[in-house]
Amino acid sequence: MAIQIDEKKNLFTLHTKHSTYQMMVGPYGVLLHLYYGAKTEGEDFSYLLHPADHGFSGNPHDTKGDRTFSLDVLPQEYSSLGTGDYRTPCLRAVWPNGACAADFRFESYERIAGKPALPGLPALYENKPGEAETLKIVCKDRVSSLRLCLLYSVFEETDSIARSCFIQNDTDSIVYLDAAYSCCLDFLQGDYELMNFYGRHTGERSVERAPLRHGKFVAESTRGASSHQQNPFGILCAPHTGEEAGECYGVSLLYSGSFLLSAEKDQFGQIRLVAGIHPDGFRWRLKPGETFQTPEAVLCYSGQGLEKLSQCYHRLYRKNLCRGEYREKRRPILINNWEATYFDFDEKKLEEIAKTAAALGVEMLVVDDGWFGKRDSDTSGLGDWTVNTSKLHGGLPALCARVNDLGMKLGIWFEPEMVSEDSDFYRTHPDWLLHIPGRPGIRSRDQLVLDLSREEVVHALFKAISGILSCAPLEYVKWDMNRHLTDVWSAALSPDQQGEVAHRYVLGVYSLLERLLSAFPHVLFEGCAGGGGRFDAGMLYYTPQIWCSDNTDAIDRILIQYGTSFGYPISSVGSHVSACPNHQTGRCTPLKTRATVAMSGAFGYELDLSKLDEEEKKQIQKQIQFYRENSNTILGGDYYRLTNPENGAALAAWQFVSEDGAQSLVNVVFLRPQSNAPAQYIKPRGLDPFSRYCVKAEQEPPFVLSGSALMHAGIKLAPLMGEYPAVQLVLKRVE
Ligand code: GLA
């Protein structure tokens, strides 16, 4: 049983395969956190609490002189401002008289089979019945009928717990929520380090790891999207935790808007981790009878290093978050025309690209930006979702028919959330934007943001997009978002609801995607926001793959995909082979290297294939063949980061092991040319020590070794000459 309840001792214990999480209804009815870590019998951990009279840490009124009970010190399940706890509060409830306070005490609990969906929000779900069990704990404010309902869904097999909560206003007065986070994780002890994933446009998800100091570290986005700059995913780990050993805890937020992930070390060295919607500019008006549901946060624990933690998230998100026909199916290998043509194309050029690509084995053409309205540059046309027939004569039906005749599928680019001032859409609906009356709005890439907090805007977009998707058998949509939110004000909401706009915008995006997914269940959606500017677990619920970065340079991509792999499955990483020299960095890398990197994800090409010579075309044919043969291992297997490619490493190596363990793929890219170079040794992981594997690298004679020899003695790689050469080794279990 994943959930154990001891009513006598007031204990709630959640067990996953390798972890235990325990809380208790403590003195005075406060829900206290007791333990989260390696699996135990579920002993009573209340002995860990240390009641003491601490100076300057106050005591709630109902303790009646018990100076050893202070919420400023005790570990809690959900902290609230106004209880004498000076650490980060999860909830800030503001009453009409301006007072900010709520003090929640246990009221009831309920055990729910399975995993409830969350209204309007992405959420984990059960893939098979019996995979999850949920505990709902209801607490009530001491002096009012404001209720806090905490949800814990335990996914036993993947060592994860999905947490969220909703606030229910059962009072007869309005309450404003100035913050309502998804989860709080209090640790009584531990010298932890935090890993966060920061970056910029074309340089997303670099890994940073630092010990927590007294005070707070905050990874956040206030941009209205989860952002390139920080990712809503973090790992708290013990100092010596590495890939293969050590304790670590992941916190992953299923949310695509402004977020905050804060790690605080308090006066006693205790740690508090909170995650949720960013409170800056947030204020939710909760009328009597209304509830506010927070996004879900997924906690994962590994006592066996970062590798296991990532593998849990990968499996969970592949099977219990991503949806649709392509959830666990290999996605079509695509050719995207963006870096091949930018805005300069017509149907002839596209057909030429498709013809060459089809002959090489590519399965889908994606027509990127520029097929609609008046769109020859990024300064006009956004919002006008009608085909530009002076570029595409015969429109999408004719293009689709010709592409289908070549045996390929057709996909298309949209940027639904935006509008250009030079567009008919803007001229018709100048008031459908996020804008502050009387203030000139901020432009970014010459575009403005539509007010998706408004139902009529969402409805109009649904009509426009479904019109296009119904006019021809389109099978893929790339959903872009090329700027962040500013001027966050909606003409449709009252002054005291303006703090809701940014969150309602995200809910609008989710609702639009949900409607499109149910109207077009066969269409594969790929998320994108100037590359990986909205690469988060919330989007993965709607789009099982996301364009990982606008930076297609293979060497930079190694780092970006390395960082991404900590929290997100390989199947979710959109990755393409592009031209040489690379358009973002000017760097030249071998075609083989570009393919090796791009194949570690949802694979495709994005270059003018007609510029390639025959030898290169043959190579591409082989690459496609190779990807097809190995895609089960790559997309559905376990992922191993064999090296850390950052900080001047000599090589980058990563590995996949198929779910049944029968096959493995080791990819290596040499990052620094060296003269008189030593041999390099790579130690694969995740093999069966007692089985024997045939190891095959291109153009090398195969050899057979035991799993144990391969993992402990390693594979020798002779040094390769030239810049950034790559090697791919296929390991097949033979006995
Ligand atoms: C964004 C995307 C690119 C491309 C352009 C088109 O930057 O990330 O891949 O689609 O928009 O404008």
Side-chain angles (χ1 to χ4, degrees):
M1 208 57 116
I3 299 173
Q4 242 177 31
I5 298 164
D6 184 333
E7 285 197 348
K8 273 201 201 112
K9 293 184 177 159
N10 286 326
L11 289 178
F12 297 98
T13 310
L14 316 178
H15 290 294
T16 72
K17 206 169 170 185
H18 301 104
S19 73
T20 296
Y21 185 112
Q22 193 177 72
M23 52 201 143
M24 82 184 282
V25 181
Y28 318 107
V30 177
L31 190 62
L32 299 177
H33 176 82
L34 294 180
Y35 173 79
Y36 186 27
K39 185 148 186 169
T40 68
E41 296 289 312
E43 292 86 344
D44 176 353
F45 285 114
S46 58
Y47 73 88
L48 294 170
L49 300 174
H50 174 61
D53 180 1
H54 294 290
F56 292 86
S57 291
N59 322 108
H61 179 261
D62 53 344
T63 60
K64 298 190 178 76
D66 174 2
R67 288 173 40 162
T68 67
F69 187 92
S70 173
L71 293 178
D72 193 27
V73 180
L74 285 162
Q76 291 164 69
E77 280 302 312
Y78 200 81
S79 57
S80 173
L81 193 68
T83 59
D85 181 356
Y86 295 95
R87 296 168 292 176
T88 318
C90 289
L91 190 82
R92 293 162 197 249
V94 183
W95 300 88
N97 67 358
C100 181
D103 184 354
F104 293 104
R105 306 299 169 96
F106 177 81
E107 190 177 60
S108 64
Y109 77 86
E110 188 186 340
R111 206 183 193 129
I112 304 165
K115 167 70 175 69
L118 302 185
L121 283 164
L124 295 183
Y125 60 89
E126 274 189 310
N127 191 344
K128 287 189 223 109
E131 261 180 343
E133 206 186 343
T134 300
L135 175 66
K136 177 173 158 190
I137 298 184
V138 182
C139 301
K140 187 177 146 307
D141 181 23
R142 259 189 79 206
V143 298
S144 79
S145 299
L146 190 66
R147 288 195 165 78
L148 164 72
C149 305
L150 297 164
L151 297 168
Y152 300 81
S153 294
V154 187
F155 287 77
E156 210 172 342
E157 274 304 304
T158 33
D159 287 319
S160 42
I161 300 170
R163 279 194 61 175
S164 73
C165 69
F166 58 92
I167 320 297
Q168 196 166 305
N169 186 359
D170 294 329
T171 76
D172 49 17
S173 129
I174 281 184
V175 184
Y176 294 95
L177 305 180
D178 279 9
Y181 296 155
S182 300
C183 73
C184 171
L185 206 48
D186 275 357
F187 292 86
L188 282 166
Q189 53 179 336
D191 259 339
Y192 288 110
E193 299 182 350
L194 190 82
M195 289 173 75
N196 63 296
F197 301 86
Y198 73 98
R200 60 181 189 281
H201 178 223
T202 72
E204 299 89 338
R205 290 171 297 285
S206 298
V207 185
E208 201 156 48
R209 175 171 175 166
L212 291 177
R213 294 165 50 193
H214 286 92
K216 253 182 229 178
F217 172 81
V218 175
E220 63 187 345
S221 161
T222 53
R223 295 165 173 269
S226 49
S227 89
H228 308 83
Q229 286 73 11
Q230 290 283 351
N231 195 266
F233 173 63
I235 301 175
L236 194 69
C237 48
H240 301 296
T241 298
E243 286 292 348
E244 296 174 83
E247 287 208 297
C248 48
Y249 303 83
V251 182
S252 171
L253 200 59
L254 273 59
Y255 191 58
S256 312
S258 298
F259 75 91
L260 171 141
L261 199 158
S262 149
E264 178 178 4
K265 189 169 187 168
D266 77 1
Q267 54 180 332
F268 300 108
Q270 306 184 119
I271 307 294
R272 170 168 292 175
L273 204 68
V274 301
I277 296 176
H278 204 291
D280 282 7
F282 176 84
R283 165 166 277 212
W284 196 272
R285 187 187 72 187
L286 209 57
K287 284 192 183 155
E290 288 182 346
T291 57
F292 177 79
Q293 170 68 54
T294 73
E296 191 159 280
V298 177
L299 309 177
C300 236
Y301 168 81
S302 158
Q304 293 167 276
L306 298 163
E307 173 176 289
K308 271 279 167 319
L309 189 82
S310 298
Q311 288 170 358
C312 279
Y313 276 113
H314 290 188
R315 207 162 303 152
L316 187 71
Y317 285 176
R318 265 195 335 249
K319 294 180 191 283
N320 303 88
L321 176 65
C322 293
R323 296 177 297 166
E325 224 172 75
Y326 284 101
R327 189 181 65 175
E328 290 188 73
K329 212 162 91 182
R330 178 174 71 72
R331 323 278 158 69
I333 298 168
L334 62 85
I335 174 90
N336 177 304
N337 74 309
W338 179 243
E339 287 199 17
T341 66
Y342 295 102
F343 293 103
D344 181 19
F345 63 85
D346 57 15
E347 85 278 3
K348 286 206 186 74
K349 228 182 212 175
L350 293 178
E351 279 169 41
E352 231 11 79
I353 293 175
K355 221 183 267 171
T356 323
L360 302 180
V362 174
E363 297 158 339
M364 181 162 75
L365 170 71
V366 174
V367 182
D368 210 280
D369 196 353
W371 57 267
F372 52 90
K374 190 185 105 206
R375 181 82 172 161
D376 295 318
S377 74
D378 60 13
T379 57
S380 65
L382 277 181
D384 292 341
W385 301 113
T386 45
V387 180
N388 178 346
T389 44
S390 60
K391 270 188 182 176
L392 302 184
H393 302 90
L396 288 169
L399 180 67
C400 199
R402 281 196 284 271
V403 169
N404 289 166
D405 282 349
L406 293 166
M408 287 172 94
K409 302 175 193 292
L410 187 67
I412 202 161
W413 180 95
F414 280 99
E415 193 178 351
E417 300 157 64
M418 303 290 158
V419 69
S420 309
E421 277 162 286
D422 183 3
S423 69
D424 291 340
F425 189 95
Y426 177 75
R427 284 182 281 270
T428 320
H429 298 291
D431 54 329
W432 277 11
L433 304 173
L434 293 180
H435 76 286
I436 301 174
R439 288 188 183 270
I442 289 159
R443 272 77 185 144
S444 180
R445 210 192 190 204
D446 271 323
Q447 60 197 53
L448 297 164
V449 187
L450 286 172
D451 181 359
L452 268 86
S453 74
R454 291 170 72 161
E455 169 52 31
E456 67 266 51
V457 176
V458 171
H459 181 69
L461 289 171
F462 175 73
K463 261 180 71 184
I465 298 169
S466 41
I468 292 289
L469 294 182
S470 318
C471 82
L474 295 160
E475 296 180 69
Y476 162 103
V477 165
K478 177 173 171 188
W479 183 291
D480 215 336
M481 185 221 193
N482 278 316
R483 64 158 291 180
H484 289 141
L485 272 52
T486 56
D487 310 282
V488 181
W489 194 91
S490 172
L493 290 170
S494 61
D496 70 341
Q497 284 190 287
Q498 292 303 324
E500 301 175 16
V501 178
H503 180 53
R504 284 187 185 272
Y505 176 93
V506 179
L507 295 178
V509 173
Y510 290 157
S511 122
L512 178 54
L513 275 160
E514 191 64 45
R515 285 180 223 184
L516 288 165
L517 289 181
S518 49
F520 301 95
H522 304 303
V523 175
L524 167 64
F525 282 75
E526 174 157 354
C528 178
R534 202 161 53 179
F535 202 119
D536 57 67
M539 284 310 284
L540 285 183
Y541 186 63
Y542 306 93
T543 67
Q545 64 190 58
I546 300 175
W547 181 228
C548 187
S549 176
D550 270 351
N551 188 342
T552 58
D553 175 288
I555 305 307
D556 282 0
R557 266 299 185 111
I558 288 176
L559 300 182
I560 296 167
Q561 293 178 193
Y562 170 78
T564 306
S565 78
F566 282 89
Y568 303 100
I570 304 309
S571 56
S572 68
V573 174
S575 194
H576 302 166
V577 172
S578 63
C580 172
N582 177 268
H583 291 193
Q584 291 79 42
T585 62
R587 177 164 28 205
C588 279
T589 48
L591 184 53
K592 158 99 183 164
T593 303
R594 281 175 272 156
T596 302
V597 175
M599 266 182 217
S600 300
F603 184 43
Y605 290 83
E606 188 163 333
L607 73 172
D608 187 348
L609 294 172
S610 66
K611 296 212 170 111
L612 301 181
D613 62 29
E614 287 311 308
E615 181 42 42
E616 288 172 315
K617 285 186 185 158
K618 267 193 209 136
Q619 268 197 58
I620 288 185
Q621 265 174 321
K622 279 198 194 144
Q623 290 165 358
I624 289 174
Q625 184 59 24
F626 185 89
Y627 183 67
R628 285 200 185 118
E629 283 165 14
N630 289 281
S631 60
N632 281 344
T633 312
I634 296 171
L635 304 173
D638 276 336
Y639 182 74
Y640 295 84
R641 292 173 289 264
L642 299 183
T643 65
N644 175 349
E646 294 173 324
N647 307 323
L651 53 82
W654 63 100
Q655 182 198 1
F656 307 91
V657 180
S658 64
E659 221 171 357
D660 63 3
Q663 190 143 330
S664 175
L665 170 66
V666 176
N667 289 328
V668 182
V669 175
F670 290 82
L671 298 173
R672 273 190 286 123
Q674 282 176 287
S675 85
N676 191 19
Q680 298 284 351
Y681 298 89
I682 280 294
K683 293 181 179 171
R685 300 205 284 268
L687 306 177
D688 171 12
F690 306 108
S691 293
R692 296 178 72 73
Y693 295 82
C694 174
V695 183
K696 175 92 187 81
E698 223 183 334
Q699 285 150 12
E700 297 282 335
F703 58 91
V704 174
L705 276 176
S706 68
S708 150
L710 286 164
M711 290 192 291
H712 299 301
I715 300 173
K716 184 185 77 187
L717 296 172
L720 292 172
M721 296 288 281
E723 287 204 289
Y724 312 112
V727 180
Q728 291 185 292
L729 299 151
V730 176
L731 282 62
K732 281 195 180 144
R733 195 165 59 198
V734 285
E735 12 173 316

